[in-house]
Amino acid sequence: MTPVISVENVTFAYGDQPAVRDVSLTVEQGDFLGLIGPNGSGKTTLLHLMLGLYAPDSGSIELFGEPIEAFENGERIGYVSQQATSQAGTMPVTVREVVTMGRFPHVGHGRLTDEDRRLVDEALETVDIADLADRRISQLSGGQRQRVYIARALASEAELLALDEPTVGVDAESRDAFYRLLESLNESGITIVLIEHDIGVVTDRANRIACLNTELYHHGDTESFVESDALTEAYGTTGQVVHHHH
Ligand code: ADP
Ligand code: MG
């Protein structure tokens, strides 16, 4: 099967100091990848590279089997950025209007059909915010707002959901519910890439882990990550150099 994302030997620097160095990884269809690493370790940068928001200095990236430079099917990807939940936004748009935007890539210059409206209603139901449909997005809590962005991605029939620390500013109860929602979306076949600072959440929910600190310290299944030294190596919590004897 063609990987959803394929990253090969990618390096990217903002100035002369690389933020991401020689990273290679693949995300397969149906994966739930947890992308972890200390603050400033390049997680957001790597996600931006994987979504084509930045071009790598060297190396290559494919999305759904296509070179990222040629990729034009943005509706296949739902992206919730790091600021999405904390910024209230001042645009006077309603929840339903934001979620309906997920249909725009599909309707072209035409009008919304009954099927488009059905998909919007379904997305609102799935993330359990149908009762908020007519509220302004600026009036919502962080947790509610984050569900709106997920619903927009679902309405667009996205196959890949990419989320950058989506529970910052979200209360503990909504967080749990949100991760259960992500898990059930993943079980329904949606591929997930999640940046999350809570490592426990990631090892509980994700089947694959990428552990980054500019370079990749681990990329593989969650079990082998838990048994490895990648976490202490990447986070440096021991303050010691770890020697390997393979
Ligand atoms: P993370 O998401 O893991 O916290 P980032 O990808 O945001 O890490 O940042 C990685 C490194 O790149 C950090 O040292 C950060 O200061 C730097 N960086 C991030 N964005 C920019 C930018 N727009 N311009 C210059 N440096 C940046
Ligand atoms: Mg970040």
Side-chain angles (χ1 to χ4, degrees):
M1 226 173 355
T2 314
V4 174
I5 308 174
S6 164
V7 175
E8 261 188 70
N9 304 111
V10 161
T11 293
F12 176 87
Y14 292 100
D16 18 299
Q17 190 72 0
V20 168
R21 188 189 297 119
D22 198 24
V23 166
S24 299
L25 63 82
T26 54
V27 180
E28 304 290 342
Q29 207 178 311
D31 271 356
F32 187 147
L33 175 78
L35 176 53
I36 61 172
N39 273 335
S41 62
K43 303 180 297 295
T44 297
T45 303
L46 179 59
L47 190 63
H48 283 176
L49 287 160
M50 297 196 293
L51 299 174
L53 301 173
Y54 301 149
D57 296 331
S58 61
S60 62
I61 300 173
E62 289 187 352
L63 278 177
F64 298 98
E66 267 187 83
I68 199 159
E69 307 79 37
F71 184 77
E72 286 181 340
N73 300 104
E75 76 282 0
R76 296 180 78 176
I77 301 169
Y79 169 49
V80 181
S81 75
Q82 196 165 356
Q83 294 82 24
T85 52
S86 50
Q87 288 175 353
T90 52
M91 285 222 300
V93 289
T94 67
V95 168
R96 180 183 298 282
E97 284 164 344
V98 171
V99 176
T100 302
M101 287 172 197
R103 295 308 302 159
F104 289 178
H106 298 277
V107 298
H109 297 294
R111 285 164 166 270
L112 289 172
T113 64
D114 288 347
E115 174 66 0
D116 292 320
R117 293 197 182 86
R118 191 189 65 75
L119 284 163
V120 169
D121 285 337
E122 192 179 278
L124 289 165
E125 297 279 345
T126 302
V127 305
D128 208 16
I129 53 167
D131 54 330
L132 302 177
D134 299 319
R135 292 267 286 275
R136 285 192 179 189
I137 185 142
S138 55
Q139 298 170 329
L140 304 183
S141 72
Q144 291 169 331
R145 202 171 302 132
Q146 162 202 72
R147 283 168 183 265
V148 174
Y149 295 117
I150 304 284
R152 182 177 62 186
L154 294 178
S156 79
E157 300 174 286
E159 295 156 67
L160 166 67
L161 266 183
L163 307 131
D164 194 345
E165 304 203 20
T167 59
V168 171
V170 176
D171 64 88
E173 203 177 314
S174 317
R175 267 184 73 163
D176 277 357
F178 176 72
Y179 282 117
R180 284 196 299 277
L181 167 66
L182 279 194
E183 212 161 45
S184 75
L185 293 176
N186 181 238
E187 278 160 16
S188 78
I190 295 177
T191 305
I192 293 177
V193 176
L194 170 70
I195 297 179
E196 168 62 60
H197 57 270
D198 184 333
I199 294 157
V201 162
V202 174
T203 51
D204 282 354
R205 312 277 176 180
N207 71 320
R208 309 274 294 170
I209 304 275
C211 182
L212 188 72
N213 195 348
T214 309
E215 293 175 34
L216 209 50
Y217 282 73
H218 176 89
H219 173 236
D221 58 67
T222 304
E223 290 77 33
S224 65
F225 169 74
V226 172
E227 290 161 7
S228 77
D229 298 324
L231 187 64
T232 32
E233 288 177 6
Y235 284 74
T237 45
T238 63
Q240 291 170 344
V241 179
V242 182
H243 295 285
H244 278 291
H245 306 284
H246 290 302

